[in-house]
Amino acid sequence: MHAAGDIGCWLCVGGGQPRDSSKPAAAKSSASIRPAVTQRPYDRMPARPLGEGAVDDRDHAFLRTAFEIPVPGGHKIPPADKVVVIHRLDARYGDLAWMPDGRTPCYGKIREGYSSLNCGRLSDEPPAPGLLFTATGEHDRVGSVENRDEVRVVSFVITEGGPARFDHVKRSKEMGPVHQAVARFPTGRMVTFLTFDRPHGLLDPEAKICRSDRQTCFPSEHVPL
């Protein structure tokens, strides 16, 4: 799709009077030339998880725990077959996501006593090539001076395509593994959901995560917004 532009009169010059062919045509102002606008694909139907990302019998307690939390205003609890399970910590906790359409990501971080559900909107400009959405990270538990070293920060990323594997290229000390799951829209377009965790506090700013073909990479210490 392209942005709508003004429709001019291709045959009229100077109020409809014919132009003298012996005179050179005036050059068009650069301001009048509008570049084509390439818009992000917009899928109107929900995405469905593929493979291990699909909900199965082991996830019933997980979904009950997740949707005891109020879903952000304006959004609904998704059907189980639209929920993407990114990471299973145990029977009741982990990370999940869903996309009710191609422009709306929702993400759940479900932990004992410290869970959250968030929904957002894809920006008009991607954060970086191949990236659709990033969340810099949320604590996985309530921290205090006594247990601050035990608190982890969980980051959430959505990328275009699938199911190529993502992993650490340069891994910071104590950085957790990359968890991922793929979903596909009815149009055939696929997206990959990623979560990973790290210790609370600063790490190596050069650490990054890349897709196996190296076409999409992003910093794992400080994910770009």
Side-chain angles (χ1 to χ4, degrees), residues 133-189:
F133 185 87
T134 64
T136 56
E138 294 185 358
H139 293 167
D140 68 346
R141 67 179 70 182
V142 177
S144 67
V145 175
E146 290 76 18
N147 73 348
R148 185 168 55 188
D149 291 341
E150 300 175 10
V151 175
R152 308 285 291 184
V153 176
V154 182
S155 292
F156 173 62
V157 176
I158 308 176
T159 70
E160 281 279 14
R165 182 67 198 173
F166 283 81
D167 209 344
H168 296 278
V169 173
K170 183 176 181 183
R171 187 169 184 164
S172 293
K173 183 180 179 181
E174 299 182 11
M175 178 72 72
V178 179
H179 304 283
Q180 69 179 66
V182 178
R184 181 170 57 203
F185 291 95
T187 59
R189 176 181 174 230

Side-chain angles (χ1 to χ4, degrees), residues 18 21 43 56 76 94 105 115 128 145 166 191 196 214 218:
S21 60
D43 299 274
D56 58 27
K76 299 178 181 179
S115 298
V145 175
F166 283 81
V191 293
F196 55 95
R214 300 294 192 270
F218 52 88

